[in-house]
Amino acid sequence: MRFEAAEWAVVPLSTPSAADPAITGAKAAHLARAAEEELPVLPGFVLVPATRTRSALIGDEALRGAWRTLAGEDGREPLVVRSSSVHEDTENSSMAGRFDSVLDVRGWDDFVAAVRTVLSSARRVRPLRPARSPSAAGRSRTGGSARSTPPGAS
């Protein structure tokens, strides 16, 4: 999967906009709020589509800087790359376990590969219920289909 840093904004969990689930998704927003309350939360950042926020840095330099802050200058500190979609962990949708997470990520190339893995996993997510047949949809007023979106995208 293609991953261009210029299309993504970097939202550190320590910033006020990280606590907004409409920007960072519920998982990241909960972590940001917990950190605000001084609960033990590992430092981190969220990648969101650049169009979703105007208050975050965008591009390769911003992403490399955020990564270096966590991984260290030599990139040896292990990281975890996981999803936090605006469609996950909501009142109406859990999606628990439906996206990949990548553990023990070390080095820039492995980090970029891990981001691609998580984004690609969103493309594999299918609705838990099969789509209704045309004849069944005609009998139902609530017919429709589920749509999956890449973590961090809308």
Side-chain angles (χ1 to χ4, degrees):
M1 159 166 244
R2 185 174 75 91
F3 172 71
E4 298 292 331
E7 297 173 1
W8 298 89
V10 178
V11 182
L13 289 177
S14 60
T15 61
S17 58
D20 183 349
I23 295 174
T24 60
K27 278 192 235 176
H30 290 313
L31 287 171
R33 288 187 197 127
E36 284 176 1
E37 297 297 321
E38 298 182 8
L39 294 170
V41 174
L42 293 172
F45 61 88
V46 185
L47 295 177
V48 302
T51 57
R52 189 174 297 159
T53 180
R54 297 181 195 275
S55 63
L57 297 175
I58 296 169
D60 189 65
E61 188 175 321
L63 182 56
R64 283 181 185 265
W67 169 77
R68 252 188 240 104
T69 297
L70 298 178
E73 285 298 321
D74 58 6
R76 291 185 187 185
E77 289 296 319
L79 303 180
V80 174
V81 177
R82 61 182 308 193
S83 66
S84 182
S85 168
V86 297
H87 303 288
E88 288 181 272
D89 297 342
T90 68
E91 205 173 283
N92 301 314
S93 173
S94 165
M95 296 188 142
R98 301 197 69 202
F99 298 99
D100 289 340
S101 293
V102 184
L103 308 175
D104 200 28
V105 177
R106 297 171 194 256
W108 175 253
D109 292 339
D110 287 347
F111 171 72
V112 171
V115 169
R116 285 187 179 119
T117 296
V118 173
L119 289 173
S120 292
S121 71
R123 303 266 189 262
R124 294 191 317 264
V125 173
R126 298 288 181 256
L128 292 176
R129 290 184 221 160
R132 296 178 186 257
S133 68
S135 60
R139 293 190 305 262
S140 171
R141 292 185 180 159
T142 60
S145 62
R147 175 176 76 109
S148 57
T149 306
S154 64

